[in-house]
Amino acid sequence: MAIKTAADEDGGEISRIEEGGCNTIAPKCKENGSLCSSTSVVTMAQKVIAEVIGTFFVIFSGCGAVVVNNLYGGTVTFPGICVTWGLIVMVMIYSVGHISGAHFNPAVTITFAIFRRFPWWEVPIYIAAQIVGSILASGTLSVMFDVTSKSYFGTVPVGSDRQSLAIEIVITFLLMFVISGVATDNRAIGELAGIAVGMTIMLNVFVAGPISGASMNPARSIGPAIVKHDYKGLWVYIVGPLLGAIAGGFAYNLIRFTEKPLGELAKSSSSFLRTLSKS
């Protein structure tokens, strides 16, 4: 999920490396035709497996909380479902974020690619892995529980499709805005990315859960729909998150006016204030 930029002593950019992969190989590496070797570089197979496993447990835990709550008299409660979604995303980010980037979401993957934070050729592979993970998790829940229409763990608009589309765009905008800030900006505290993203998802589920199901993720909605053959309003959960994520990524990149680290910005701010005081 995070993009790191290495710079030489003169401040020039050498390469842009995604955690779990090498997006741009250094010029010397290109000229020699050699492979980029580093402990942070893993094979595509490892990244795919990480995305499948990560998406599986995100859907299994989040949707599982919905099923258990519906089948066992509301024992989990709505706040419990919200917390479960936030916690499982946070846990999986810290578990496999250093391997695959912990996308777990086609809308996030596509948005990263649009803003050159992720290679386009890996996008179809990641999306396929995310959907497979969601289908496997949904199938597991269907085998474990007697899922009826009342205990369905997919996302279906409660009101109109237009209302759910609007709220999906808004909450996914916020999610992608936060991801862009904490995971792609080297001025942010990267170690807190999992907490920030998990808390954002929890808050979004609190707000949008009773209205649209708070998907924010096409894979989260596609998996249950395929397993249970319920495609009502599915387009909302594909179009809404995609539009919201792209808009959120664009908004953050619009205000990202510098790549300088926080220390340099603080020095610039203090010197500016000293200049003002002197004048």
Side-chain angles (χ1 to χ4, degrees), residues 44-83:
M44 176 55 65
Q46 288 173 312
K47 291 195 282 186
V48 168
I49 293 172
E51 282 295 300
V52 171
I53 293 175
T55 308
F56 176 91
F57 282 109
V58 167
I59 303 303
F60 178 81
S61 298
C63 293
V66 175
V67 174
V68 171
N69 188 66
N70 290 337
L71 290 179
Y72 296 93
T75 52
V76 180
T77 73
F78 175 64
I81 293 173
C82 299
V83 172

Side-chain angles (χ1 to χ4, degrees), residues 166-176 200 203-205 207-209 212-216 244:
I167 200 164
E168 285 293 324
I169 291 175
V170 172
I171 61 177
T172 313
F173 176 102
L174 174 59
L175 175 62
M176 193 65 217
T200 302
L203 294 173
N204 281 344
V205 177
V207 174
S212 69
S215 175
M216 298 170 275

